Amino acid sequence: MEKVPGEMEIERRERSEELSEADRKAVQATWARLYANCEDVGVAILVRFFVNFPSAKQYFSQFKHMEEPLEMERSPQLRKHACRVMGALNTVVENLHDPDKVSSVLSLVGKAHALKHKVEPVYFKILSGVILEVIAEEFANDFPPETQRAWAKLRGLIYSHVTAAYKEVGWVQQVPNTTTPPATLPSSGP
């Protein structure tokens, strides 16, 4: 995958932004309402991710052949993975007060995706952007700028920890895949 211009600057900026107590509370309040419909929200996130970024499906043998959103929504494998993603996010959000726990969880996720699944780390940034889109839509009337900024900071924190885990295991960028669009990243802001 080609290097996206400016990506290193974005990573540095995201890495430096810490969540304040107000940020943590805003994220946790929004998350509690989202997590009440964990499976459905997780499926909506993954379906949008795979529809908008079909190259991401290459890492999932169980549903990489699926093209139709309805088929994806009904897939037991996709639903199971959606629950795993939401569960990992829930652990992160519930432990925002404990940076060591957050780091540990995201390190495990990053290492598994680097070593076992060979997923390009940029997909974490893309997926987290999709998550922010879904949150913004779910709470269109109740997602003020300060909450959006808090989620953007969390997105940066997640990406920073995951990419640190990739670097720790000596991640070597994979050979570019012709089906992977290199410059289709969502913006880093809300």
Side-chain angles (χ1 to χ4, degrees):
M1 182 175 276
E2 289 180 33
K3 185 79 176 143
V4 177
E7 187 175 356
M8 291 305 293
E9 291 80 16
I10 291 169
E11 286 180 37
R12 276 195 293 276
R13 182 176 49 82
E14 288 173 341
R15 194 174 296 125
S16 66
E17 293 188 74
E18 304 233 349
L19 274 75
S20 66
E21 183 63 27
D23 292 334
R24 286 192 291 273
K25 286 180 179 178
V27 165
Q28 288 170 332
T30 311
W31 180 255
R33 296 186 336 213
L34 266 183
Y35 198 66
N37 298 312
C38 168
E39 186 174 346
D40 289 339
V41 172
V43 168
I45 289 167
L46 287 186
V47 168
R48 180 176 300 188
F49 178 55
F50 292 133
V51 166
N52 292 343
F53 303 94
S55 61
K57 291 189 294 181
Q58 69 184 308
Y59 302 107
F60 298 90
S61 61
Q62 313 94 319
F63 44 86
K64 70 179 178 183
H65 62 282
M66 295 179 188
E67 297 296 327
E68 296 300 318
L70 189 57
E71 183 183 13
M72 289 182 224
E73 287 173 19
R74 293 179 177 162
S75 165
Q77 296 92 349
L78 188 137
R79 294 188 85 76
K80 183 178 177 183
H81 191 67
C83 288
R84 278 197 303 270
V85 169
M86 295 296 283
L89 282 171
N90 188 57
T91 301
V92 167
V93 171
E94 284 185 345
N95 289 286
L96 286 175
H97 64 280
D98 184 351
D100 291 337
K101 176 73 172 180
V102 169
S103 182
S104 174
V105 168
L106 294 173
S107 179
L108 288 172
V109 168
K111 288 175 182 176
H113 283 78
L115 298 173
K116 183 177 179 186
H117 307 298
K118 309 282 189 235
V119 174
E120 290 287 341
V122 72
Y123 283 106
F124 282 92
K125 182 174 278 196
I126 295 169
L127 179 61
S128 63
V130 171
I131 291 168
L132 289 181
E133 288 174 11
V134 170
I135 293 169
E137 288 173 12
E138 288 287 320
F139 301 111
N141 298 323
D142 191 21
F143 198 49
E146 58 273 8
T147 303
Q148 292 176 35
R149 281 190 295 275
W151 275 96
K153 286 181 185 179
L154 178 60
R155 176 185 185 202
L157 177 112
I158 289 170
Y159 188 68
S160 160
H161 281 285
V162 167
T163 55
Y166 271 70
K167 289 174 187 161
E168 187 180 323
V169 299
W171 174 258
V172 176
Q173 195 168 19
Q174 304 300 297
V175 176
N177 182 327
T178 58
T179 63
T180 304
T184 54
L185 294 177
S187 67
S188 65

